[in-house]
Amino acid sequence: MTLNPWRLRLLADLATYGTVRAVAQRGSLSPSAVSQQLATLERETRTTLLERTGRRVRLTAAGVLLAGRAREILALMDAAEAELRGLADEPAGTVTLAAFQSAVHTLAEPAVTRLAALHPDVTVVLHELEPHDSMPALRRGDVDVIITTTDFAGAELDPSIDLVPIATDEIVLVLPPEHPLAAHESVPVQACADQRWTFEAAGAYMSELATRLCREAGFEPMVVCRFNNYMLALGHVEKGRSITLLPSLAVDPRYRVTTRPLNPPVTRRIIAATRRPPTPRPEITAVLTALRS
């Protein structure tokens, strides 16, 4: 019996994502191609790995066992490749980096630019992912490095994850030009109880934080719109239609808005996170160094 690493990866992905369609989308394949490869893996192992129920499949006990071993095998192969790359003088390879919206332009892209000048053989594939999505993606192995914040539910310490501090970012109140609250050096959230608000989509990091701050101040915010794009939120505020809370990194100076710190101040801790590898990967170390600088 000779196990094919590519087919093992498809089986491990099926255990993680649950459907053949999801595995196909992740690997840029057709569902029929994935099904054919998994059927070939069954013939190669002479074992029933999948149970078919209607249009769906699920792993048998043997499939679950092999998927677990597949992850171990693939991790060892990745470690071996990293050790070989480590013998070279220069880091090389591809690193997938995910960052939340306001960190893409302010932190991730400058780091990628610095990295390209220092280590041209390292390729960074950049994705936008908010904190509540990026940490699960990191744990699944979808990405190699994330820029996130520890100040949200789901970011609890995990011994398999390394955290690298990057920066501290202040949460600010964003107001239309010449808004009455702009006359204050800082603004308590309680002073905004009668205001119309723009929030992120429900469940997103800033939506959860802003809702919590308003409720702790004793009121339920009047949310008139929700945007997943900070530029849309800033445009809405600029027109005088609402106010919002944003990380200072997200406030684009091209918009005519006024910002004021909160009283008491609210900050978030920005970190980079990676899975703790059995063997250090020089290309990931290079990315982390560029982010820290």
Side-chain angles (χ1 to χ4, degrees), residues 156-209:
E156 295 80 9
L157 292 179
D158 183 333
S160 68
I161 302 294
D162 285 329
L163 305 180
V164 179
I166 295 179
T168 299
D169 191 22
E170 185 176 26
I171 306 299
V172 294
L173 181 66
V174 186
L175 304 164
E178 302 174 1
H179 191 283
L181 290 174
H184 302 272
E185 290 187 6
S186 61
V187 180
V189 178
Q190 295 95 313
C192 305
D194 60 348
Q195 299 292 314
R196 294 155 60 88
W197 291 86
T198 289
F199 278 9
E200 276 191 294
Y205 167 75
M206 276 307 302
S207 175
E208 296 294 301
L209 175 59

Side-chain angles (χ1 to χ4, degrees), residues 12-236:
D13 284 349
L14 182 61
T16 300
Y17 299 103
T19 67
V20 169
R21 182 173 297 277
V23 175
Q25 289 175 343
R26 186 171 188 270
S28 300
L29 300 167
S30 67
S32 61
V34 172
S35 296
Q36 290 170 7
Q37 293 302 318
L38 292 174
T40 300
L41 183 61
E42 285 188 309
R43 290 195 297 272
E44 289 174 343
T45 59
R46 299 184 180 88
T47 307
T48 302
L49 303 174
L50 309 174
E51 293 177 339
R52 291 161 180 82
T53 55
R55 295 185 177 182
R56 298 179 64 87
V57 297
R58 63 180 181 181
L59 297 182
T60 64
V64 171
L65 185 150
L66 184 58
R69 293 299 187 192
R71 293 191 186 96
E72 297 173 7
I73 292 167
L74 295 168
L76 287 172
M77 291 178 66
D78 289 342
E81 290 177 1
E83 288 172 348
L84 290 173
R85 287 194 298 269
L87 296 176
D89 293 332
E90 280 292 319
T94 299
V95 177
T96 305
L97 170 64
F100 54 84
Q101 185 182 153
S102 59
V104 170
H105 299 297
T106 55
L107 297 174
E109 289 186 342
V112 171
T113 300
R114 288 192 293 271
L115 189 69
L118 293 172
H119 303 295
D121 292 330
V122 176
T123 300
V124 178
V125 179
L126 183 58
H127 295 270
E128 180 191 325
L129 282 179
E130 293 303 306
H132 61 282
D133 290 325
S134 63
M135 188 62 79
L138 179 66
R139 292 189 174 113
R140 289 195 305 266
D142 293 349
V143 295
D144 299 310
V145 182
I146 62 174
I147 302 174
T148 185
T149 172
T150 57
D151 306 322
F152 74 100
E156 295 80 9
L157 292 179
D158 183 333
S160 68
I161 302 294
D162 285 329
L163 305 180
V164 179
I166 295 179
T168 299
D169 191 22
E170 185 176 26
I171 306 299
V172 294
L173 181 66
V174 186
L175 304 164
E178 302 174 1
H179 191 283
L181 290 174
H184 302 272
E185 290 187 6
S186 61
V187 180
V189 178
Q190 295 95 313
C192 305
D194 60 348
Q195 299 292 314
R196 294 155 60 88
W197 291 86
T198 289
F199 278 9
E200 276 191 294
Y205 167 75
M206 276 307 302
S207 175
E208 296 294 301
L209 175 59
T211 301
R212 176 172 61 81
L213 291 174
C214 291
R215 289 173 178 170
E216 289 175 352
F219 68 93
E220 192 68 23
M222 183 193 308
V223 181
V224 296
C225 57
R226 292 182 179 272
F227 296 125
N228 281 334
N229 187 302
Y230 290 151
M231 303 299 106
L232 294 176
L234 288 166
H236 201 267

